[in-house]
Amino acid sequence: MPDTAHEQPQQRQFYPYTENGGTILAIAGADFTVIAGDTRQSEGYSIQTRYAPKVFRLTERAVLAVNGFAADGNMFVKKVKQRLEWYRHAHAKEMPLRAIARLIQTMLYAQRFFPYYVNNILGGIEEDGSGAVYSFDPVGSYEREACRAAGAASSLVQPFLDNQIYFKNQTPAPGTPHPTYLPLPDVLAIVIDSFTSATERHIEVGDGLEMYVVLAKGRSIEELADVAGVQELTTRADGDRMFVIQRELKKD
Amino acid sequence: MSIMEYNGGSVIAMVGKDCVAIASDLRLGNQALGIASDFEKIFPMTDRVYLGLPGLATDVTTLREQFRYRLNMYTIKEEREIEPETFAHLVSSTLYERRFGPYFIEPVMAGLQRLPNGGYKPFIAATDLIGCINFAKDFVVAGTASSKLFGVAEGLWEPDLEPEDLFETIAQTLLNAVDRDAYSGWGAVVHVITKDKAIKRVLKGRMD
Amino acid sequence: MDISFALTGKGYVIVAADTTAARSIVKMKTDEDKIKVLSPHLLMAFSGEPGDTLQFAEYVERNIRLYQIRNTYALRPPSAASWIRRSLADSLRSRRPYAVNLLIGGYDTSTSTPHLYWVDYLGTLSPVPFGAHGYGSYFGLSLLDRYHDPEATLEEGLDTLRRCIDEVSKRLVVSPGKYKVKIVDKDGVREIEL
């Protein structure tokens, strides 16, 4: 008979969450929005995959970036897409961006006491044709902004964006006020610089960069013409146009 | 409650073309409560060597006094001023002396190293709280806003900046980083060191 | 629970501390003097762990006096504050550290300037235009931010102090009843009734 006298009381617990690293970022222009994320997925010091998308096309004019616990993120995107499909069937049109934002809030808050462990950033084109970014906390608190970084390297990227997008701590020369929105090439350059910096200094960021660009209806695509690695995702000829730019992030 | 975050504060140093810059915020706090907005953490050790001491405020003062003493002894014995690289090792060994009961400071150094040909070479370094030296070629950061400083500096810094451009780069890096850190801010100070002069500028920043 | 305030003005420093000595929920004494007169032009309000406070304050008092006897002149405020800070900083890494917070107010007779130092039990020292320790800091510092004037006359300075004390009385759940107020200026140290 086994001797059980020395056995210590055991405690078991199941922790249903983990963090999978990575960073996402979105910047709105006057008539476009860029939504970006790296593609590394990790747990602790282990890289699970070098290509796990965090940025998803929801509609013709809406893109959702999800960062945090990947399993929750993927499930959440799946459920948002399902709700958008139901909306299409019920109303025979795509859900507008601001409505998607409110939908995401209710879906997140519905899980108030067992939250999706994710930070969401929704980007796209509003009904009035303006570029928009909505950022959410894990339980649905949200806000429309011009730019937002979230995820593992958000503390590295956000102050950089404050400086480069909002021109914080910069004084304009008299008579030349700071622009409210930046042109697309400048925004793309800032996004690439942000991820290059984050890759350099944060171990959970790297491998690949996916930048979704949503252009308002009728807007020129000239600025994307000579960008390397562009692929068009537009499905309807008469609406807003969507592109994805894929890049490698530096490996050293 | 982390001891390193008890008083708040951050320091950064950058290399430029024949110049270096070192900058810090001016906040002294007790956790969330602000105590003073004129608490300097950067001290000139010689005309060409500056030392930043972010971390626990009591150790800022203690180490400043300690380094003043050790530097005076060095100058008397050697009959010359200390070089930045030598000073970095002095800092390192002073901290390692307290390996198992450390000073809660992560020093940042910036200076110009005298060369055999009479010229000067920019030098920056930082150590952890027990004196492990990081000789960086571009920039070093420390303090409660360190992750933010890393992010902005990595985006703004470029090689071979002239003194005025280096000042602008380090000032923007610091201000935008501390504005996202609750424990740092309340004003800032920047030192730019060139071979024939060291300029100190006190910056206006957000006071919230 | 100790509350202390101090502020500088034109040629003076006001130091105030409550006079309650409490143990648990009981007020043991209501006329305790928590401001030491260290030298003819130096005041020190102390608060913190009962026992440590008086022990440390007396240790400081005697050493400052010893310096004066040995050298025939008293330490000036910056030097005295520096020495006191070092005592606390060394104590912090000793076997049994003192848990004492201080406000050191002094008048430098050789430069004719008032000095005030905020010092905590860790040995953190900061020269300040005004300072506070204890729960008073949460009420007093914002008032002092608004009303303090380094060029204020003594009467204006005392008015500002009154605002702080009144606010503590109004808003703090267990506010002390009485305060001792001492002033140091070119004529030395004196105690006043608010």
Side-chain angles (χ1 to χ4, degrees):
Chain A
M1 188 173 156
D3 176 23
T4 56
H6 66 278
E7 276 185 22
Q8 296 293 309
Q10 288 193 15
Q11 198 177 48
R12 281 178 226 280
Q13 61 168 333
F14 170 62
Y15 189 69
Y17 291 124
T18 189
E19 287 263 7
N20 295 109
T23 277
I24 52 170
L25 159 63
I27 301 171
D31 53 2
F32 67 89
T33 303
V34 178
I35 307 97
D38 71 326
T39 64
R40 174 174 293 184
Q41 190 181 103
S42 59
E43 188 169 9
Y45 295 132
S46 306
I47 295 171
Q48 293 173 323
T49 171
R50 298 191 188 279
Y51 185 71
K54 279 190 276 290
V55 191
F56 302 92
R57 199 189 90 114
L58 293 181
T59 68
E60 287 286 302
R61 45 168 46 183
V63 174
L64 183 61
V66 195
N67 193 222
F69 176 26
D72 271 6
N74 292 326
M75 197 61 205
F76 184 71
V77 171
K78 193 172 167 177
K79 293 203 168 194
V80 173
K81 281 182 171 172
Q82 186 181 52
R83 293 289 295 266
L84 293 175
E85 190 179 325
W86 289 348
Y87 183 95
R88 264 197 308 275
H89 293 322
H91 300 96
K93 63 165 186 149
E94 298 258 50
M95 191 187 279
L97 194 70
R98 60 187 200 96
I100 300 175
R102 181 60 65 88
L103 172 72
I104 289 173
Q105 164 166 77
T106 39
M107 289 178 68
L108 288 170
Y109 199 81
Q111 292 293 330
R112 175 63 179 78
F113 297 106
F114 186 21
Y116 289 109
Y117 213 65
V118 288
N119 284 297
N120 283 288
I121 300 177
L122 174 71
I125 305 293
E126 294 279 21
E127 284 173 303
D128 67 359
S130 63
V133 167
Y134 291 90
S135 67
F136 301 79
D137 81 350
V139 288
S141 203
Y142 80 109
E143 182 182 15
R144 185 181 167 180
E145 295 174 291
C147 77
R148 171 61 65 184
S154 61
S155 64
L156 284 75
V157 177
Q158 191 63 51
F160 179 64
L161 297 180
D162 289 343
N163 188 225
Q164 298 295 308
I165 305 292
Y166 292 121
F167 298 100
K168 290 278 169 69
N169 293 113
Q170 290 190 262
T171 316
T176 55
H178 292 310
T180 322
Y181 291 108
L182 290 172
L184 181 56
D186 295 22
V187 169
L188 286 176
I190 289 168
V191 171
I192 292 166
D193 281 358
S194 297
F195 277 93
T196 311
S197 299
T199 303
E200 188 77 19
R201 293 288 176 176
H202 201 112
I203 56 168
E204 292 172 0
V205 180
D207 294 326
L209 170 59
E210 270 186 342
M211 293 180 287
Y212 280 73
V213 183
V214 195
L215 303 181
K217 187 166 75 177
R219 190 190 190 279
S220 157
I221 62 153
E222 204 180 324
E223 291 155 321
L224 282 174
D226 50 351
V227 176
V230 197
Q231 192 194 332
E232 182 152 8
L233 302 175
T234 315
T235 51
R236 280 174 29 191
D238 59 338
D240 306 307
R241 300 180 74 171
M242 192 180 293
F243 300 83
V244 62
I245 303 167
Q246 294 187 307
R247 290 285 173 89
E248 291 251 295
L249 284 167
K250 61 180 294 198
K251 290 200 172 76
D252 60 340
Chain B
M1 187 202 87
S2 163
I3 300 183
M4 297 301 291
E5 285 158 23
Y6 185 78
N7 299 114
S10 301
V11 178
I12 179 171
M14 283 179 173
V15 168
K17 188 172 170 36
D18 303 318
C19 58
V20 287
I22 181 167
S24 82
D25 69 328
L26 288 171
R27 183 176 182 268
L28 169 70
N30 251 210
Q31 317 237 63
L33 177 68
I35 298 295
S37 55
D38 58 356
F39 191 79
E40 294 206 31
K41 300 160 191 74
I42 297 173
F43 310 103
M45 295 288 110
T46 72
D47 290 347
R48 287 182 293 109
V49 184
Y50 280 66
L51 172 66
L53 298 170
L56 191 68
T58 180
D59 293 342
V60 173
T61 316
T62 305
L63 278 178
R64 186 185 63 162
E65 289 169 0
Q66 173 99 278
F67 286 127
R68 189 175 74 143
Y69 168 76
R70 293 199 167 177
L71 227 57
N72 284 343
M73 294 307 286
Y74 180 96
T75 314
I76 292 164
K77 278 184 186 155
E78 297 279 328
E79 296 183 323
R80 65 187 171 90
E81 285 199 331
I82 202 165
E83 288 300 314
E85 200 171 325
T86 321
F87 180 69
H89 285 97
L90 174 68
V91 169
S92 172
S93 49
T94 304
L95 292 179
Y96 199 79
E97 264 180 22
R98 294 271 177 279
R99 171 63 180 78
F100 297 108
Y103 291 114
F104 296 98
I105 296 283
E106 291 181 334
V108 169
M109 290 146 270
L112 293 173
Q113 184 96 20
R114 180 173 255 136
L115 298 171
N117 66 17
Y120 292 98
K121 184 172 77 73
F123 173 91
I124 55 160
T127 87
D128 65 6
L129 76 170
I130 51 168
C132 174
I133 314 176
N134 166 21
F135 297 107
K137 283 190 278 291
D138 41 12
F139 52 83
V140 284
V141 303
T144 54
S146 59
S147 63
K148 287 110 181 166
L149 287 164
F150 266 132
V152 190
E154 196 65 61
L156 297 185
W157 186 86
E158 48 189 282
D160 298 322
L161 289 162
E162 295 296 329
E164 275 310 302
D165 297 334
L166 183 68
F167 163 76
E168 205 56 42
T169 307
I170 199 169
Q172 287 294 319
T173 304
L174 183 74
L175 288 172
N176 289 288
V178 300
D179 285 354
R180 282 280 176 181
D181 181 27
Y183 291 122
S184 298
W186 263 23
V189 63
V190 179
H191 299 262
V192 182
I193 307 145
T194 54
K195 70 173 166 47
D196 35 42
K197 62 173 187 288
I199 307 158
K200 175 183 175 183
R201 291 197 180 99
V202 180
L203 306 180
K204 272 190 182 162
R206 289 178 70 103
M207 298 304 273
D208 58 353
Chain C
M1 269 301 164
D2 306 313
I3 292 172
S4 46
F5 293 110
L7 60 148
T8 57
K10 198 172 171 57
Y12 64 86
V13 184
I14 306 169
V15 182
D18 74 282
T19 56
T20 320
R23 222 177 127 176
S24 182
I25 56 164
V26 184
K27 276 182 184 167
M28 309 296 288
K29 203 163 176 281
T30 53
D31 59 351
E32 178 92 329
D33 187 357
K34 300 180 200 173
I35 307 171
K36 267 260 178 289
V37 179
L38 297 181
S39 74
H41 293 276
L42 198 62
L43 287 172
M44 181 175 84
F46 51 93
S47 55
E49 179 79 18
D52 282 13
T53 46
L54 202 66
Q55 187 71 19
F56 183 76
E58 287 180 1
Y59 168 79
V60 169
E61 182 184 37
R62 275 144 220 270
N63 275 96
I64 297 283
R65 178 74 186 123
L66 177 64
Y67 184 97
Q68 202 175 345
I69 294 165
R70 278 180 174 163
N71 300 283
T72 72
Y73 56 85
L75 269 179
R76 288 157 68 177
S79 317
S82 195
W83 183 86
I84 297 166
R85 186 210 81 83
R86 178 44 81 105
S87 302
L88 280 169
D90 289 345
S91 151
L92 184 71
R93 287 182 160 82
S94 70
R95 201 175 56 79
R96 242 277 294 162
Y98 286 113
V100 185
N101 300 315
L102 309 168
L103 289 167
I104 302 166
Y107 186 82
D108 193 335
T109 46
S110 44
T111 59
S112 306
T113 46
H115 291 264
L116 176 60
Y117 299 93
W118 182 95
V119 184
D120 75 2
Y121 73 100
L122 300 166
T124 312
L125 178 141
S126 180
V128 287
F130 50 81
H133 276 300
Y135 287 111
S137 59
Y138 296 100
F139 303 95
L141 287 182
S142 47
L143 283 163
L144 286 158
D145 276 331
R146 175 66 183 77
Y147 293 108
H148 178 260
D149 173 9
E151 294 299 305
T153 63
L154 181 59
E155 208 36 62
E156 289 169 328
L158 288 169
D159 284 342
T160 307
L161 176 64
R162 262 183 221 108
R163 281 183 192 275
C164 297
I165 290 173
D166 290 349
E167 190 66 15
V168 172
S169 307
K170 190 175 179 186
R171 296 290 178 187
L172 189 65
V173 178
V174 278
S175 53
K178 276 172 43 194
Y179 288 82
K180 226 179 227 323
V181 182
K182 295 186 187 182
I183 294 161
V184 57
D185 59 14
K186 65 177 178 8
D187 305 319
V189 171
R190 64 182 183 280
E191 186 181 330
I192 60 145
E193 285 295 321
L194 254 195

